Structure formats: structure tokens, C-alpha cells
Amino acid sequence: MNKGQQHWIFGQSIKLFILKHKTIIDRRLISWNAHLYSNKPDVPSVYYSNEVNQERESFVKNIGIVGCGLMGAGIASNLLKKDYHVHVFDINDELVQALTDKGAIGAGNIRTLAKLVDVMILSLPAPSVIQRLMTNQEQGAFSVMKKGAYILDMSTNDVAITRQLHEIAKTYEIEYFDCPLSGGPEGAHNGTLTIMAGGSEQAFPEVLPVLEAVGENIEYVGESGAGQIVKLCHNMVVGGVITLLSEALITGEKAGVSKEKIASILQNGSAQTRVMDVFGANMLKDTFNDVKFSLANMMKDMNLYRDLAEGQQIPTVSSQSAHQLFQIASYNGKNHKDSTAVYEMIGQLRQVELLNKN
């Protein structure tokens, strides 16, 4: 071991000593250390200790999950596997019970949870719900959270509302990150989610260990709202591809080629798409009750995307037809089904068209 390596190891020992004996953690030091660890010199692995990374993560051991549905439950389960103390809250007591059976700590309301945690993860269905749960003066979480705490909003949220919440959080000395997800319930269960993060770049290294505990592909996108912008664009594309695939598969099959054969060739040609990998089985097997991502949630995200696009004065001609098809499916009672229920809707519309012609 050369002198440079010896000096670097000595420096880490001093920083570790300081971290162990400080009663109040200096977040700027933690952020600096995170940068330091990611740019460490070529030191033999035998001289490393997990203790350094454990100290880095120790101040966020108490994590709260608000919303324990398909996504929230998977996130909570992976955090429990990584030995975090996980507190959970949901209006559905059965969902909470399922996680407490695994070792989580149940909370009767969001304020009880908010007082205890260093990091709060939101996995909620609508922007209005997030606003109410966070800002309500009598029942909201902001006013009772610890100074220096973190909020990771893993819901898909409105960009303007996200930025408002970010500004409100700053008045309470709380860091608010928008961290929407891609990968669905399977990715949440397996800890392989893609996470798009927006918020303070300086504070981002402080929450990175938590994100790494539940995700595989983590991207810091930019300032507050940036993660939501990417997610809304992402989901508009996914919804649009689902509608095109649905129409093309039905057209081809009615013209005389099985949809299985068409799908196989698409996936080996220029039309290859990840959407087929994730959602294709439902279209091929007509299993629209096997929910990968609900039609209601896709409809909500499409609405948010169109609000975003129109706010930027972007013509939404391309997305309009897909949006309308999802609207028709929604009006016909398919909200609880998978997003691929638009395939079923196209088939039903065809039947109506045939009846009208006859």
C-alpha cells in the first residue's frame, strides 16, 4: 500500500470518527462524503469497511410509506429486506396488515407516521390526495415532520403541484423530491424500478441509498418537477403505443394472420417495443383483468400529460386519438382493468360498427 492510499484511509477514519460522535448530523458533510466515496482512489478492497456506507445511511433508517397498494407494498417489502425500519399507512387496513405481518410498523394516520420518519415515500393515486395529505393544517404531514427530513414522491403527480409542494417543504426545512417510477408492480416487487428524480442536486446523494434499495436504474433529471415531466412523457408514449398495437393486432388478425404471429414478427423488426414485453401477454391472451397498470391510472397520467403539453402550447394532435380511446374505455366501465383494455374496447367498437352497417 503506497502513501497516497494510506493517507486516504486515514482521512476516512477521521471522517468516520466525526460522524459517530456528532449529535446533530451536518447534512452538507454527508453530501460531501457521498461525493467523496463515489470518487475514491484505487484502494485495495481489503481496506474497505461496510461501516463507512452504514454510517452514510444510518440517519435515514426510519422510512415511512404512505400508500401501500401494488407499488407501495413492493417498495416497503424491499426496504424491509434492506433492514430499514419501515412505517406504513394506508386507508385500507388490510394492506397495512399485510406489511406489518412482514415486519413493518403500522400507523393509524399520516401525522403519526410523519413524526417518526426521516424519509417519507408517497405512493398515492392523485395529485389532490397528495396535496391534502401533505398541506392540511390539522391532518397534513408537513407541519409535524422533522426538520431535515426528506420526502420522496413516487406517485405520478402534476408538475405545477409538485413544484408548489417543493416550495412549501422548504419553509419547513424539508427536502422534497419527485421520484416517479417505471417498471410496474413487478419492478416494485423485485427492486428493479426505474426512478426519475427531480429536486435539489446537492441533497440528492443523501437519498440515493434509499432509492438504490428499491430501484435499479436511477436518474437524477434536474430541478423540482423534472422527474414528473419525464414520467408524463413516458406514460403518454406507453399509452399511445398500446393503442397502436391494439389496433394493428386486431386489424391483422381480422385480415387473416394470427395476432401471435404478428406480435412475434413485430418484436423481431423495427417495430420492436418494450411495451409488448410488458403488456403484450394481456392483448394476446385477452387477460385484461391481469392489471400491470390500471386503465384509470393511465387515463390520469394522459390527462396530466395533455395539461403539460397544452401549457407549453404544444399541439396535441398525435396524442389526441389515443387519449380519446382511453376516455371511451373509461366511460364504458373499464377503469379497474389493465390499460390494455383499450384492445377490448376497439374490438367492441368494431362490433358496433358492423351492427350499424347491417
Side-chain angles (χ1 to χ4, degrees):
M1 181 169 59
N2 61 40
K3 287 185 178 181
Q5 293 168 341
Q6 290 175 338
H7 290 163
W8 187 85
I9 292 169
F10 178 74
Q12 301 317 298
S13 300
I14 295 298
K15 292 178 181 66
L16 184 57
F17 176 85
I18 292 170
L19 285 172
K20 280 187 172 181
H21 291 82
K22 289 185 74 170
T23 55
I24 299 175
I25 293 175
D26 184 338
R27 286 170 51 185
R28 289 171 297 176
L29 177 60
I30 293 291
S31 180
W32 184 86
N33 279 341
H35 174 76
L36 178 65
Y37 300 145
S38 67
N39 294 279
K40 51 187 176 289
D42 183 20
V43 180
S45 60
V46 68
Y47 297 110
Y48 284 116
S49 169
N50 288 332
E51 197 171 6
V52 172
N53 283 331
Q54 289 169 358
E55 287 295 328
R56 177 185 170 194
E57 300 179 21
S58 64
F59 69 107
V60 290
K61 274 297 183 185
N62 288 291
I63 300 180
I65 309 290
V66 180
C68 303
L70 292 173
M71 299 299 291
I75 291 165
S77 296
N78 277 292
L79 290 169
L80 287 167
K81 292 175 186 175
K82 300 293 173 62
D83 295 325
Y84 285 99
H85 305 303
V86 179
H87 304 254
V88 293
F89 167 68
D90 195 286
I91 58 174
N92 186 328
D93 292 338
E94 291 182 2
L95 297 179
V96 172
Q97 184 62 53
L99 288 170
T100 57
D101 289 344
K102 294 181 178 181
I105 304 163
N109 57 69
I110 191 171
R111 284 169 73 88
T112 299
L113 179 148
K115 293 174 184 177
L116 299 172
V117 301
D118 307 299
V119 175
M120 179 187 291
I121 293 174
L122 305 178
S123 182
L124 295 166
S128 59
V129 175
I130 297 167
Q131 272 188 307
R132 185 178 72 252
L133 286 175
M134 297 309 299
T135 63
N136 185 282
Q137 288 299 312
E138 295 181 357
Q139 300 177 343
F142 270 141
S143 60
V144 296
M145 291 186 74
K146 304 173 185 178
K147 289 183 178 181
Y150 307 83
I151 296 169
L152 307 179
D153 183 4
M154 294 187 177
S155 323
T156 303
N157 201 347
D158 176 80
V159 175
I161 290 175
T162 293
R163 289 172 172 165
Q164 291 171 8
L165 293 172
H166 178 266
E167 292 302 311
I168 294 170
K170 286 200 294 188
T171 67
Y172 290 100
E173 299 181 38
I174 295 167
E175 291 287 355
Y176 191 104
F177 288 90
D178 47 296
C179 301
L181 312 169
S182 179
E186 183 178 353
H189 176 76
N190 295 331
T192 57
L193 292 165
T194 293
I195 305 175
M196 300 148 263
S200 167
E201 185 173 11
Q202 182 179 0
F204 181 68
E206 302 164 19
V207 297
L208 187 56
V210 178
L211 298 177
E212 289 174 337
V214 300
E216 193 171 71
N217 303 299
I218 299 158
E219 293 280 349
Y220 174 78
V221 184
E223 62 184 15
S224 177
Q228 298 294 356
I229 290 170
V230 175
K231 177 60 186 296
L232 294 179
C233 293
H234 174 278
N235 276 18
M236 186 65 248
V237 171
V238 172
V241 173
I242 287 174
T243 61
L244 284 171
L245 281 172
S246 297
E247 180 182 304
L249 291 174
I250 291 173
T251 298
E253 186 156 67
K254 295 303 178 184
V257 180
S258 75
K259 58 185 177 181
E260 291 81 7
K261 177 63 71 176
I262 295 170
S264 175
I265 294 172
L266 290 178
Q267 290 303 85
N268 287 300
S270 298
Q272 190 276 335
T273 172
R274 173 72 173 153
V275 174
M276 180 63 79
D277 294 335
V278 175
F279 294 96
N282 283 353
M283 289 184 276
L284 298 178
K285 299 176 182 178
D286 297 335
T287 51
F288 308 114
N289 288 317
D290 181 9
V291 179
K292 311 295 183 184
F293 189 70
S294 74
L295 190 137
N297 279 331
M298 184 65 84
M299 188 73 222
K300 181 254 303 181
D301 292 355
M302 283 183 161
N303 288 335
L304 291 174
Y305 166 81
R306 287 173 61 81
D307 288 345
L308 178 67
E310 290 167 6
Q312 301 302 314
Q313 299 182 328
I314 305 298
T316 56
V317 177
S318 299
S319 63
Q320 186 172 351
S321 58
H323 180 255
Q324 287 178 339
L325 186 55
F326 271 87
Q327 276 187 318
I328 293 169
S330 176
Y331 296 156
N332 279 271
K334 300 184 188 297
N335 279 326
H336 66 287
K337 294 187 175 185
D338 185 60
S339 294
T340 51
V342 293
Y343 179 101
E344 183 181 43
M345 192 71 250
I346 291 173
Q348 291 170 353
L349 289 172
R350 177 180 179 272
Q351 293 299 322
V352 171
E353 184 72 15
L354 291 173
L355 286 172
N356 288 337
K357 287 182 177 180
N358 294 329

